[in-house]
Amino acid sequence: MPGKISLQHLRYLVAFAEHRTLTEASANLNVSQPAISRALKELQAELGCQLLRRVGRSLELTTAGQRVLASARRALAAIDDMQRVAGEQSAHVLRIATLGAMAAGMAPVLERFMRKEPLIRIQIQHMAQDHEMFDQLRRGDVDVGYCGLVKRPRGLSITPTRPLGIVLASPIGTDLPDAVRFADLDRLPMVMPPLTEERRRLFDDPCSRAGALPDIVLESGDTTTFLSSIQAGIASSIMWDVNAVQSTDIEIRPFDPPRFHPVGFVHVSKPTALVRKLLSLSRKVERERERTASRQPTAPKYMSQVIELP
């Protein structure tokens, strides 16, 4: 029977004891008086004893009620303590969701963040689809996401960062121009993501417009397969520029004209203190990068403000 007692029952009993009347307790809790009265009757029924008695026009706690009240206060204090401990623990962990190899794009911000907040532990969670990331953000299962900013997630905000450059990575000795057009990829052996991934659309759409039909020899969602296939001389692939420049034994070619993909952090409108620190550092990194880019006329232009999405 006591297993059916809820924290709400206990809180209503404590509120009644502190405010002495159902009217004042309901006003303090912002709930209706009948709801408190009903909860106290349920509590009496669950415990099988009388907690309240009427004295004149007032309600008072019985002796049993006083004892239950003391136990309720101890139980609520224990719950508050557990929540405080959990809050302290979560305040030292930053949970970031991202999509595959795209995670390398936030490395400059994370590096700055970890130097500034050495006691914070960062958890990177890799998602298969951006809608999975958005759902977890809305539920509070992750603190912030990092992904492409093509779709407009309902009820979330975004903080753009430097766009990721899209380059062609090929085996050494591949016969291609120094800067490639998508028409140059016609019949070129390629390893690519599955058709279900956003990265594949970034390749298929411009190829279709250019009338190119690359030879897709391998499809894989595992980004390590891409690099090993390129290094083995099997095929070329598109890659994010931040990943390509860190790879060895491959040739990297930009596209003509250069291609960039908008990315950034996705978060709730009122993020946690840790997320606010991360976003503040991100905006600082982007301002520094924009000052450098202003001295390079060919550098891509992008925005670094927070955008509220519907």
Side-chain angles (χ1 to χ4, degrees), residues 116-169:
K116 189 175 180 63
E117 303 290 341
L119 299 181
I120 302 302
R121 182 162 55 93
I122 295 178
Q123 294 178 349
I124 304 294
Q125 302 181 26
H126 292 274
M127 306 286 176
Q129 301 288 338
D130 55 7
H131 66 79
E132 178 185 0
M133 176 191 303
F134 301 152
D135 288 343
Q136 293 209 23
L137 280 168
R138 296 185 185 104
R139 292 197 303 266
D141 294 337
V142 295
D143 302 307
V144 65
Y146 180 83
C147 63
L149 302 181
V150 175
K151 298 181 180 179
R152 301 175 65 84
R154 172 180 52 82
L156 297 173
S157 303
I158 63 173
T159 300
T161 62
R162 168 193 177 271
L164 290 179
I166 302 172
V167 298
L168 181 73

Side-chain angles (χ1 to χ4, degrees), residues 6-292:
S6 69
L7 292 177
Q8 186 180 66
H9 288 128
L10 302 184
R11 290 192 176 103
Y12 286 178
L13 177 64
V14 171
F16 167 76
E18 290 177 349
H19 297 282
R20 307 305 301 170
T21 69
L22 294 177
T23 301
E24 291 186 12
S26 65
N28 180 264
L29 295 173
N30 197 28
V31 296
S32 68
Q33 181 174 326
I36 295 181
S37 179
R38 183 168 57 250
L40 294 178
K41 289 179 181 178
E42 291 173 354
L43 182 59
Q44 288 187 137
E46 291 296 332
L47 294 176
C49 65
Q50 185 177 1
L51 303 178
L52 303 171
R53 64 183 177 186
R54 186 166 292 281
V55 178
R57 302 180 62 181
S58 302
L59 282 176
E60 292 185 357
L61 290 169
T62 63
T63 301
Q66 293 286 354
R67 292 175 178 173
V68 171
L69 173 64
S71 296
R73 283 175 167 154
R74 288 195 296 269
L76 292 175
I79 293 296
D80 289 342
D81 186 57
M82 284 188 286
Q83 291 175 337
R84 177 186 58 77
V85 171
E88 290 175 353
Q89 177 64 25
S90 62
H92 291 82
V93 178
L94 180 62
R95 302 165 299 171
I96 305 176
T98 188
L99 301 176
M102 187 178 289
M106 60 179 170
V109 178
L110 289 187
E111 180 183 359
R112 186 87 62 93
F113 181 85
M114 288 187 288
R115 288 202 306 267
K116 189 175 180 63
E117 303 290 341
L119 299 181
I120 302 302
R121 182 162 55 93
I122 295 178
Q123 294 178 349
I124 304 294
Q125 302 181 26
H126 292 274
M127 306 286 176
Q129 301 288 338
D130 55 7
H131 66 79
E132 178 185 0
M133 176 191 303
F134 301 152
D135 288 343
Q136 293 209 23
L137 280 168
R138 296 185 185 104
R139 292 197 303 266
D141 294 337
V142 295
D143 302 307
V144 65
Y146 180 83
C147 63
L149 302 181
V150 175
K151 298 181 180 179
R152 301 175 65 84
R154 172 180 52 82
L156 297 173
S157 303
I158 63 173
T159 300
T161 62
R162 168 193 177 271
L164 290 179
I166 302 172
V167 298
L168 181 73
S170 303
I172 293 176
T174 301
D175 185 17
L176 285 170
D178 291 339
V180 294
R181 300 168 300 164
F182 278 92
D184 297 325
L185 308 186
D186 190 46
R187 300 185 183 182
L188 183 70
M190 296 285 296
V191 53
M192 295 301 299
L195 289 169
T196 55
E197 292 195 16
E198 174 69 15
R199 288 179 298 158
R200 182 63 177 270
R201 184 191 65 77
L202 298 175
F203 177 78
D204 286 350
D205 289 355
C207 278
S208 177
R209 290 193 295 269
L213 291 174
D215 180 14
I216 310 299
V217 298
L218 178 64
E219 288 186 349
S220 174
D222 181 7
T223 55
T224 60
T225 304
F226 290 33
L227 182 58
S228 60
S229 298
I230 298 168
Q231 292 172 330
I234 296 174
S236 300
S237 181
I238 60 170
M239 293 181 68
W240 303 121
D241 55 356
V242 291
N243 294 311
V245 297
Q246 298 175 13
S247 305
T248 59
D249 300 324
I250 64 174
E251 293 180 350
I252 304 171
R253 292 177 173 85
F255 280 92
D256 180 19
R259 298 189 67 84
F260 299 92
H261 188 57
V263 293
F265 291 104
V266 182
H267 47 90
V268 297
S269 59
K270 295 182 178 180
T272 64
L274 281 184
V275 174
R276 292 197 300 272
K277 290 180 179 179
L278 178 72
L279 299 179
S280 177
L281 277 177
S282 175
R283 288 189 284 269
K284 183 176 180 179
V285 168
E286 297 315 312
R287 286 194 298 269
E288 293 172 356
R289 205 184 326 249
E290 285 176 346
R291 284 196 293 270
T292 301

